[in-house]
Amino acid sequence: MASLARLPSILFLVFLYTSINGDSSDQSPITACPSFDCGGNGITISYPFWHQSQQFEHCGYPGFNISCSDQNPMIYLSNDLYPITNINHSSKSLTLHHTKIRRADCPKAPHDTITVNSTPSLFNSTLGNKMLHFFYNCTLYPPSLPHIACLQYGIKQSYVFLEGATPEFDWHRYCESVVSALVSDEAVSGDLVQGFGRALQGGFKLTWKQLDGECQSCEASGGFCGYNNGLHENFFCICTNRRHSTNCYDQGALTTVRPEPNYIYVAIGALIFGGSVIAATVFYFTQKKKVGSYKPV
């Protein structure tokens, strides 16, 4: 009977050990860095991009967080959200659309879009793009320059020029607003005054580069870069067997980042243990009473 009474204690100790130590392998890179889509344009988003909901711990590069709006993937750059229309992992590039552009036949860029100096350090906007400069509602302008007829408002006229082809004139003085916008190289062809709308609707491209330092070492060893609490400093490397502090190699001073014990399961186990002890105790003394009261005939 004594061994029966000790059984719940033994089971609880096994359960407690398993809950705390049984997940030392962590998640594999595939399960820890899952791909996803927003359900709209069919774009599959994967590492180094990550879903916006993973705020406290994510697998991917800092600043590469993607949100879903109306089933469209969006990325936050230069204080604005840009819809993503394509991601090419082989060339490390993504295509973005301009936001808040209305009238497909005669769009107007409401503000400056991403420029070379305003993109995060991991992105490059100079490859595969051209910069357009728009001058809106000018009250005075050089004669004989072709203007954007669909944007004319009374005597006020608007103009568009490629980077490096803007005529010498005090545009900022005589125009209500000056806006610069990136467009893809292939969208700029023929008459710019007639085709600027198509160029703006086509969006622009960004390329990204690999992270340096610890993340580069992690990826070179076959791992994925992860971060805690959204901070660039709290780095860990997700490998096939477990997490490491630098890379997936076992040589060197690598510290395995162990998961926190699942205290919810531990608490449930404690409640089960307490109930089992009470039930076993009652059963033990009941049986002992029966044995004590038994008298052979």
Side-chain angles (χ1 to χ4, degrees):
M1 291 298 175
S3 60
L4 181 63
R6 288 196 298 269
L7 181 60
S9 301
I10 297 173
L11 293 176
F12 173 70
L13 291 175
V14 172
F15 178 83
L16 182 63
Y17 178 83
T18 304
S19 300
I20 297 177
N21 300 311
D23 194 25
S24 61
S25 62
D26 286 348
Q27 293 175 300
S28 69
I30 296 177
T31 57
C33 307
S35 59
F36 67 95
D37 65 77
C38 293
N41 51 15
I43 297 177
T44 299
I45 302 166
S46 57
Y47 182 88
F49 298 94
W50 49 279
H51 198 279
Q52 177 73 30
S53 62
Q54 299 171 311
Q55 289 291 328
F56 299 103
E57 180 176 292
H58 67 265
C59 173
Y61 293 177
F64 279 46
N65 46 303
I66 304 296
S67 60
C68 294
S69 176
D70 295 329
Q71 296 188 330
N72 293 311
M74 310 281 286
I75 188 168
Y76 188 76
L77 299 171
S78 302
N79 300 318
D80 207 349
L81 279 171
Y82 289 88
I84 300 173
T85 58
N86 184 58
I87 298 179
N88 189 324
H89 286 273
S90 59
S91 62
K92 290 185 172 60
S93 65
L94 65 160
T95 303
L96 308 180
H97 263 191
H98 295 287
T99 57
K100 304 175 184 177
I101 290 183
R102 300 176 177 86
R103 289 192 59 187
D105 59 330
C106 190
K108 183 178 180 180
H111 56 76
D112 286 345
T113 55
I114 292 175
T115 60
V116 176
N117 294 327
S118 64
T119 53
S121 59
L122 286 178
F123 288 107
N124 189 313
S125 60
T126 59
L127 300 177
N129 296 310
K130 286 183 171 63
M131 184 70 76
L132 300 184
H133 298 291
F134 292 89
F135 303 91
Y136 294 117
N137 296 332
C138 304
T139 56
L140 188 64
Y141 30 81
S144 304
L145 280 179
H147 66 281
I148 305 173
C150 64
L151 293 178
Q152 183 170 350
Y153 183 71
I155 63 170
K156 298 178 180 180
Q157 295 185 358
S158 299
Y159 299 84
V160 58
F161 305 101
L162 274 172
E163 174 92 8
T166 305
E168 290 290 336
F169 186 72
D170 195 354
W171 296 99
H172 289 81
R173 180 178 180 181
Y174 294 107
C175 302
E176 290 183 1
S177 62
V178 179
V179 175
S180 299
L182 282 173
V183 294
S184 61
D185 283 342
E186 57 267 22
V188 180
S189 61
D191 187 354
L192 182 60
V193 174
Q194 298 297 324
F196 78 94
R198 182 180 65 255
L200 283 177
Q201 291 294 325
F204 59 97
K205 296 179 180 179
L206 292 180
T207 58
W208 73 84
K209 62 181 181 180
Q210 187 181 37
L211 277 175
D212 297 328
E214 292 177 322
C215 184
Q216 185 177 20
S217 174
C218 171
E219 290 180 335
S221 67
F224 290 159
C225 304
Y227 298 88
N228 279 318
N229 301 323
L231 299 177
H232 197 165
E233 294 78 10
N234 295 342
F235 169 82
F236 57 88
C237 184
I238 303 175
C239 306
T240 55
N241 60 337
R242 56 186 175 181
R243 297 179 183 181
H244 292 279
S245 61
T246 306
N247 56 47
C248 298
Y249 299 133
D250 290 331
Q251 292 81 11
L254 295 178
T255 303
T256 301
V257 181
R258 299 179 62 85
E260 292 294 328
N262 197 324
Y263 292 109
I264 296 177
Y265 290 151
V266 173
I268 294 174
L271 291 175
I272 295 175
F273 167 69
S276 300
V277 169
I278 295 174
T281 303
V282 172
F283 178 78
Y284 172 74
F285 283 108
T286 301
Q287 295 297 319
K288 185 176 180 181
K289 184 178 181 181
K290 289 181 179 180
V291 171
S293 61
Y294 174 75
K295 294 183 175 23
V297 178

